[in-house]
Amino acid sequence: MAGGPPKALPSTGPHSLRDMPHPLAGSSSEEAVGGDSTPSPDLLMARSFGDKDLILPNGGTPAGTSSPASSSSLLNRLQLDDDIDGETRDLFVIVDDPKKHVCTMETYITYRITTKSTRVEFDLPEYSVRRRYQDFDWLRSKLEESQPTHLIPPLPEKFVVKGVVDRFSEEFVETRRKALDKFLKRITDHPVLSFNEHFNVFLTAKDLNAYKKQGIALLTRMGESVKHVTGGYKLRTRPLEFAAIGDYLDTFALKLGTIDRIAQRIIKEEIEYLVELREYGPVYSTWSTLEGELAEPLEGVSACIGNCSTALEELTDDMTEDFLPVLREYILYSDSMKSVLKKRDQVQAEYEAKLEAVALRKEDRPKVPADVEKCQDRMECFNADLKADMERWQNNKRQDFRQLLMGMADKNIQYYEKCLMAWESIIPLLQEKQEAK
Amino acid sequence: MEQAPPDPERQLQPAPLEPLGCPDAGLGAAVGKEAAGAGEEDSGVDTMTHNNFWLKKIEISVSEAEKRTGRNAMNMQETYTAYLIETRSVEHTDGQSVLTDSLWRRYSEFELLRNYLLVYYPHIVVPPLPEKRAEFVWHKLSADNMDPDFVERRRIGLENFLLRIASHPILCRDKIFYLFLTQEGNWKETVNETGFQLKADSRLKALNATFRVKNPDKRFTDLKHYSDELQSVISHLLRVRARVADRLYGVYKVHGNYGRVFSEWSAIEKEMGDGLQSAGHHMDVYASSIDDILEDEEHYADQLKEYLFYAEALRAVCRKHELMQYDLEMAAQDLASKKQQCEELATGTVRTFSLKGMTTKLFGQETPEQREARIKVLEEQINEGEQQLKSKNLEGREFVKNAWADIERFKEQKNRDLKEALISYAVMQISMCKKGIQVWTNAKECFSKM
């Protein structure tokens, strides 16, 4: 279930940020960009416009025909599959190869998305497309819309303060690429979301804009129904287990926020320490110019401090690029999860209100009316989906944080090892008996 | 201002004594006083050496510091710190040490000792005292003289000062130094009775005054330049080091916050809880480790400071040479002008300006008797002048010879000591890195169990 190291996918060779013709414009330019497995335009058009039946994920059957429990049972089946690691994975997605595009109206970055799958939902075994951030943003909204009962992974922050962060710098682009890669991998690992039609189109369509414009909203049954839940109902009490989840998320987000602040403060202090070190080292060098016998030892100390400074710079860069963004991602994640919890509350509220209304009517009906039954159905599905997602989320969160914190420890260990090596290597130099000059 | 060769009355036994070793700050290093010969006792000199100095090793230590209150010169109450100086003699044969002297001294008495040595041994690079007030502090250290850490480091510095003197081939034989270690009462009076303040050349204190010296020994000029640069570079180094220490302190301490937040977070986690909690503990350990690390580094800073102040002493010797050379040149100039005057009076030609000549012009010629008298006076002065010039020349050459010998000794000592200091600094850094690796490895293991 958790993302293991991504399998190596064929790349089209080393690329650097350079200008390219507009990737989303006609198919002719596509050949220059992607790999050799791009599907022919005809096939693609056919897929985009018509064959819903081929593309729809099993969880989202046409409205009205399936039993309430179908989503949950499917989930159960899929969960079993997911527990087996590696071998049974049939969908791999990777985000790489960022490229800068300079156009008259704007400049932006696109990323290459490479997909490998044996699933029937994919016509070809391999796809390679280019997408920009707004495409990811679109995908996420579509997922939220069509799968409201599920927890949708977060995207890296959309806006960056211009002038403070250079959104075309290699570090920024790389950080974003990693976050986008993680985003897609989390969807890939999800038994329901990975079958979502929008996700499929995102991974495969040559002309995503055309698809977007079509306004194809192939909502799942759930999506359709949840969409119509009016917000006017107030929930009296959240059931214990969801209240517990809500409380947990609140505290969790708080603690992460604190950790984020601490990490930022550490980086700030380290940078200031670095500034002083960069002045400190050269003074030994200056001193060595005054001396005879001490010249070499002093110069050695100066070089040593220089090496430690470089190691420190690497540490702060790593922490900024690898540690902080993941923390922030999880804060965003828990925020979006809290909204899903609220939506669930609304669904429950509607059901309870309708149920009450029926009870108050005191009609002589032995059976509960269909629409109330639908509400109950909706609520139970939501609860089931959410619980399943929470469990999956908890597991992934544990893996992610274990990796993140071990990574942080590792970076610090490497920093100290570099410094240790530098200082140990000058001891013999310092102890050397010098010939009288 | 006289430059007397080492006065036998100020020195203990004239037998050449060879001191051993380098003073080891913080320990009572053995200072060997062994006679080069067969241990000839010169009973004619001092009966004060009730310990038979030369055949036994002596150990000096400044072992304690104590806060005292007393009344100062203006009869106002003051608080000061007194330091206990203990002198032990070590039996050659069985290595046992016996406490021979023990007395209390305050910082101002150390200063008095040093000022005395500066006057009587101007050709020696006199060991410096630890700083009077805390300088180059970083935020954690207080600049308060009563602060226990500062007092402790000063105690070590004062001990180091005494050991430096004791291990100096010439200074160690000074009587006033000996009395400093042995005579508690009246020592101040004894020092003042030497009248050393009167002998002090006030010009030495006027550091900025420049004297146009025509022929200084180039080695001294270069050395003075070196001492200025050394002072400048070590000051800079100490200032930046203090800032580095400050920043490093910040980095470590902020990590302590992880301890608390991990603990709080672990409370809401099931499987991750233990790992987080124990990792947090390691972060606390990491944060608190900086205190010891930086305390150790202060010793390194103190070693650098000693040489910062030594540079001052070095400069003083060079300055002394300059002044002697200046006086010599002035005396020579004065002599030459007197000779010329004399010649002119004798021959009747006036080439040089003299006040007498002027007044003669104004008020009339002097009588031959008057002129004879003047010539006689001048001839006497010229004689005296020539004697003085000779002795000044001799003094100057002696000074240069002795001073240069001590400077060479000093250079060797400086190179040795600073190398040791750099090595110990590197060792400190290595220890710090190893501790860091240990803590983060422990934390990593806790994280892996999450």
Side-chain angles (χ1 to χ4, degrees):
Chain A
M1 229 167 6
K7 296 208 167 177
L9 292 170
S11 89
T12 52
H15 296 281
S16 56
L17 286 176
R18 59 169 193 268
D19 292 353
M20 281 278 304
H22 198 302
L24 304 175
S27 47
S28 52
S29 54
E30 283 308 297
E31 266 123 36
V33 178
D36 17 86
S37 45
T38 51
S40 70
D42 307 317
L43 194 57
L44 210 54
M45 297 303 261
R47 291 186 65 245
S48 302
F49 285 104
D51 284 289
K52 309 175 195 180
D53 299 297
L54 283 177
I55 300 162
L56 275 178
N58 294 338
T61 46
T65 55
S66 45
S67 71
S70 66
S71 327
S72 323
S73 61
L74 173 68
L75 275 173
N76 289 334
R77 274 186 280 131
L78 285 172
Q79 238 163 347
L80 278 167
D81 279 350
D82 279 340
D83 284 339
I84 302 162
D85 220 1
E87 320 311 319
T88 53
R89 290 228 327 2
D90 55 1
L91 174 64
F92 298 92
V93 178
I94 190 166
V95 179
D96 65 1
D97 191 33
K99 277 192 172 50
K100 189 170 169 183
H101 303 270
V102 182
C103 310
T104 34
M105 293 304 286
E106 55 174 351
T107 305
Y108 59 91
I109 309 264
T110 63
Y111 304 83
R112 177 179 64 190
I113 321 290
T114 311
T115 309
K116 264 184 165 176
S117 180
T118 52
R119 289 187 183 179
V120 295
E121 290 78 13
F122 294 90
D123 288 343
L124 299 174
E126 200 172 317
Y127 290 90
S128 180
V129 298
R130 296 205 76 91
R131 299 285 178 248
R132 54 186 291 191
Y133 184 90
Q134 66 188 34
D135 298 332
F136 284 83
D137 201 27
W138 168 87
L139 173 63
R140 193 174 189 279
S141 342
K142 283 300 179 199
L143 285 173
E144 270 190 330
E145 219 177 84
S146 57
Q147 313 276 179
T149 61
H150 289 288
L151 303 174
I152 316 295
L155 277 177
E157 275 142 346
K158 188 175 202 158
F159 299 107
V160 283
V161 182
K162 281 190 188 164
V164 175
V165 179
D166 175 12
R167 49 199 186 97
F168 300 114
S169 74
E170 277 192 43
E171 294 84 20
F172 177 79
V173 172
E174 175 57 17
T175 303
R176 211 176 225 203
R177 185 202 64 77
K178 280 192 221 160
L180 294 174
D181 184 77
K182 188 83 203 204
F183 170 73
L184 291 184
K185 282 193 163 63
R186 280 171 170 151
I187 298 173
T188 307
D189 288 344
H190 196 288
V192 174
L193 296 179
S194 62
F195 286 95
N196 182 283
E197 190 248 348
H198 301 295
F199 181 53
N200 188 299
V201 170
F202 177 89
L203 293 178
T204 59
K206 277 304 160 190
D207 188 353
L208 191 63
N209 283 339
Y211 177 81
K212 288 187 201 177
K213 285 191 186 116
Q214 293 273 315
I216 304 274
L218 295 160
L219 294 173
T220 60
R221 189 181 63 89
M222 273 305 294
E224 191 64 50
S225 57
V226 171
K227 194 173 165 186
H228 295 305
V229 169
T230 37
Y233 301 95
K234 267 240 147 74
L235 183 69
R236 265 179 240 116
T237 35
R238 220 180 226 180
L240 221 58
E241 58 184 328
F242 293 108
I245 292 174
D247 289 340
Y248 170 82
L249 289 175
D250 282 337
T251 312
F252 177 71
L254 257 177
K255 295 307 147 193
L256 283 195
T258 307
I259 293 173
D260 180 59
R261 275 192 303 280
I262 295 171
Q264 276 186 69
R265 181 68 192 275
I266 288 174
I267 291 170
K268 177 172 170 282
E269 294 285 336
E270 283 174 344
I271 286 172
E272 291 179 343
Y273 171 50
L274 182 64
V275 166
E276 301 298 350
L277 278 184
R278 290 233 185 265
E279 191 183 326
Y280 184 53
V283 181
Y284 282 97
S285 228
T286 306
W287 186 358
S288 79
T289 62
L290 304 174
E291 298 289 339
E293 198 180 312
L294 289 176
E296 256 184 63
L298 287 168
E299 193 57 59
V301 170
S302 176
C304 210
I305 295 171
N307 288 337
C308 292
S309 308
T310 306
L312 183 61
E313 194 168 31
E314 283 163 14
L315 176 63
T316 55
D317 284 345
D318 280 350
M319 289 298 285
T320 308
E321 285 157 28
D322 296 338
F323 187 78
L324 292 178
V326 177
L327 274 182
R328 294 198 184 127
E329 231 171 66
Y330 261 93
I331 296 174
L332 290 172
Y333 216 158
S334 52
D335 283 345
S336 74
M337 284 157 74
K338 283 193 266 188
S339 340
V340 176
L341 268 177
K342 288 205 184 100
K343 261 190 252 158
R344 190 219 68 88
D345 287 348
Q346 280 176 359
V347 170
Q348 181 175 338
E350 191 191 13
Y351 165 68
E352 285 176 355
K354 288 207 169 136
L355 198 63
E356 225 180 84
V358 166
L360 285 172
R361 262 182 283 159
K362 286 176 180 140
E363 277 170 19
D364 224 17
R365 275 167 174 251
K367 234 172 72 153
V368 177
D371 69 327
V372 178
E373 226 178 70
K374 267 196 196 152
C375 273
Q376 183 185 22
D377 191 26
R378 217 184 280 149
M379 180 188 77
E380 283 171 359
C381 278
F382 207 132
N383 288 350
D385 286 349
L386 195 52
K387 271 204 286 204
D389 269 16
M390 262 318 285
E391 214 178 287
R392 181 175 299 105
W393 182 87
Q394 284 284 13
N395 268 325
N396 288 339
K397 174 211 77 184
R398 187 179 166 196
Q399 304 275 35
D400 285 347
F401 276 97
R402 184 197 295 153
Q403 195 179 35
L404 183 72
L405 292 169
M406 282 176 73
M408 170 173 90
D410 252 334
K411 295 193 220 299
N412 278 280
I413 291 169
Q414 282 162 29
Y415 160 70
Y416 278 112
E417 282 180 340
K418 286 177 202 162
C419 292
L420 180 65
M421 202 167 72
W423 286 104
E424 281 184 332
S425 70
I426 72 152
I427 293 272
L429 171 72
L430 294 175
Q431 289 177 325
E432 206 174 74
K433 287 275 178 205
Q434 297 217 303
E435 306 295 292
K437 291 191 178 167
Chain B
M1 188 258 340
E2 316 262 298
Q3 171 43 51
D7 187 337
E9 263 178 32
R10 261 166 213 95
Q11 296 284 299
L12 306 164
Q13 304 81 357
L17 302 168
E18 304 222 1
L20 295 176
C22 233
D24 207 345
L27 301 169
V31 176
K33 292 186 176 281
E34 293 163 330
E40 247 176 37
E41 227 182 298
D42 189 348
S43 57
V45 182
D46 268 313
T47 48
M48 289 192 211
T49 57
H50 56 281
N51 342 328
N52 229 354
F53 251 42
W54 353 300
L55 294 178
K56 296 175 182 166
K57 287 191 180 170
I58 69 160
E59 284 176 7
I60 304 174
S61 65
V62 177
S63 50
E64 274 172 53
E66 203 177 82
K67 220 179 200 174
R68 300 253 180 102
T69 44
R71 294 216 170 261
N72 67 6
M74 289 172 283
N75 209 31
M76 286 163 60
Q77 197 170 53
E78 58 166 359
T79 329
Y80 62 91
T81 313
Y83 300 89
L84 178 64
I85 304 173
E86 293 179 314
T87 313
R88 292 179 157 71
S89 77
V90 185
E91 286 283 339
H92 245 309
T93 43
D94 57 13
Q96 274 197 328
S97 78
V98 177
L99 185 66
T100 53
D101 289 281
S102 155
L103 41 67
W104 292 86
R105 295 263 184 233
R106 54 186 293 190
Y107 189 87
S108 57
E109 291 174 278
F110 282 84
E111 278 185 310
L112 189 60
L113 172 65
R114 185 164 193 272
N115 289 338
Y116 160 82
L117 291 173
L118 282 172
V119 171
Y120 276 104
Y121 302 91
H123 60 294
I124 302 283
V125 183
V126 177
L129 282 169
E131 53 193 358
K132 188 154 196 170
R133 265 162 283 278
E135 273 175 68
F136 304 109
V137 289
W138 58 282
H139 90 281
K140 196 202 154 211
L141 291 181
S142 69
D144 172 22
N145 282 4
M146 290 293 146
D147 176 63
D149 284 331
F150 177 75
V151 169
E152 173 58 18
R153 287 190 3 262
R154 196 197 245 189
R155 181 194 68 73
I156 293 168
L158 290 174
E159 186 177 275
N160 193 48
F161 169 71
L162 294 178
L163 292 172
R164 290 273 193 211
I165 298 176
S167 64
H168 191 284
I170 294 166
L171 295 178
C172 68
R173 284 141 74 180
D174 186 272
K175 189 167 105 180
I176 296 290
F177 171 61
Y178 174 75
L179 292 175
F180 181 87
L181 298 174
T182 57
Q183 182 190 321
E184 184 149 26
N186 261 349
W187 177 80
K188 273 192 9 207
E189 287 74 6
T190 312
V191 185
N192 287 327
E193 272 163 24
T194 62
F196 79 93
Q197 280 107 338
L198 300 168
K199 296 200 163 79
D201 184 354
S202 59
R203 295 177 300 172
L204 275 174
K205 299 252 194 260
L207 288 171
N208 291 329
T210 41
F211 294 85
R212 261 172 291 118
V213 185
K214 292 185 202 123
N215 276 321
D217 186 315
K218 191 174 186 295
R219 294 176 300 174
F220 285 89
T221 319
D222 289 345
L223 193 64
K224 186 158 147 236
H225 188 64
Y226 166 78
S227 70
D228 287 339
E229 306 242 283
L230 188 67
Q231 268 187 305
S232 164
V233 88
I234 297 184
S235 305
H236 188 194
L237 194 64
L238 286 168
R239 266 196 314 275
V240 186
R241 193 213 70 90
R243 294 203 305 261
V244 167
D246 212 0
R247 291 301 175 196
L248 190 61
Y249 183 78
V251 170
Y252 271 75
K253 286 300 179 190
V254 181
H255 278 87
N257 290 313
Y258 274 147
R260 197 177 58 239
V261 76
F262 282 171
S263 181
E264 290 167 3
W265 183 8
S266 72
I268 59 169
E269 295 292 344
K270 293 185 211 98
E271 300 120 333
M272 279 169 56
D274 289 338
L276 272 176
Q277 178 91 317
S278 45
H281 160 73
H282 291 297
M283 290 293 97
D284 287 332
V285 168
Y286 182 72
S288 61
S289 68
I290 192 65
D291 297 306
D292 286 342
I293 289 168
L294 288 178
E295 202 180 289
D296 285 346
E297 266 199 29
E298 279 309 310
H299 293 301
Y300 171 68
D302 284 341
Q303 286 173 293
L304 292 181
K305 274 183 214 173
E306 194 193 8
Y307 277 90
L308 173 68
F309 303 141
Y310 250 130
E312 186 78 54
L314 195 61
R315 191 179 194 283
V317 175
C318 297
R319 195 110 175 93
K320 179 69 186 179
H321 163 74
E322 251 179 33
L323 291 174
M324 287 182 77
Q325 189 64 17
Y326 178 78
D327 285 344
L328 183 72
E329 286 173 6
M330 286 291 111
Q333 202 175 307
D334 187 55
L335 184 68
S337 108
K338 285 204 161 71
K339 280 185 173 165
Q340 182 137 47
Q341 264 185 30
C342 203
E343 193 203 310
E344 283 169 7
L345 278 176
T347 60
T349 52
V350 182
R351 253 172 292 147
T352 57
F353 172 81
S354 77
L355 196 57
K356 200 70 183 157
M358 218 42 238
T359 53
T360 314
K361 273 210 152 86
L362 292 169
F363 301 113
Q365 286 280 1
E366 55 182 359
T367 65
E369 292 82 17
Q370 285 173 322
R371 199 194 299 164
E372 274 307 311
R374 282 214 293 140
I375 290 176
K376 212 165 173 98
V377 167
L378 274 174
E379 279 176 349
E380 271 175 41
Q381 286 179 343
I382 287 168
N383 245 332
E384 248 180 73
E386 276 177 342
Q387 297 278 43
Q388 277 195 8
L389 195 63
K390 231 189 203 167
S391 72
K392 272 192 165 61
N393 247 315
L394 201 69
E395 273 173 34
R397 279 202 295 273
E398 272 298 298
F399 180 89
V400 166
K401 187 182 87 181
N402 294 329
W404 202 255
D406 196 58
I407 284 164
E408 291 293 342
R409 181 207 59 82
F410 169 75
K411 278 185 189 167
E412 296 277 304
Q413 175 200 297
K414 177 204 81 178
N415 287 338
R416 252 192 336 259
D417 289 349
L418 289 174
K419 242 194 202 172
E420 279 304 312
L422 290 175
I423 290 171
S424 76
Y425 184 65
V427 168
M428 275 181 232
Q429 300 305 305
I430 287 169
S431 158
M432 179 169 94
C433 290
K434 284 188 174 162
K435 275 189 211 165
I437 290 170
Q438 184 67 60
V439 165
W440 283 104
T441 305
N442 291 341
K444 185 178 173 187
E445 205 179 301
C446 295
F447 290 138
S448 74
K449 297 200 181 113
M450 266 169 49

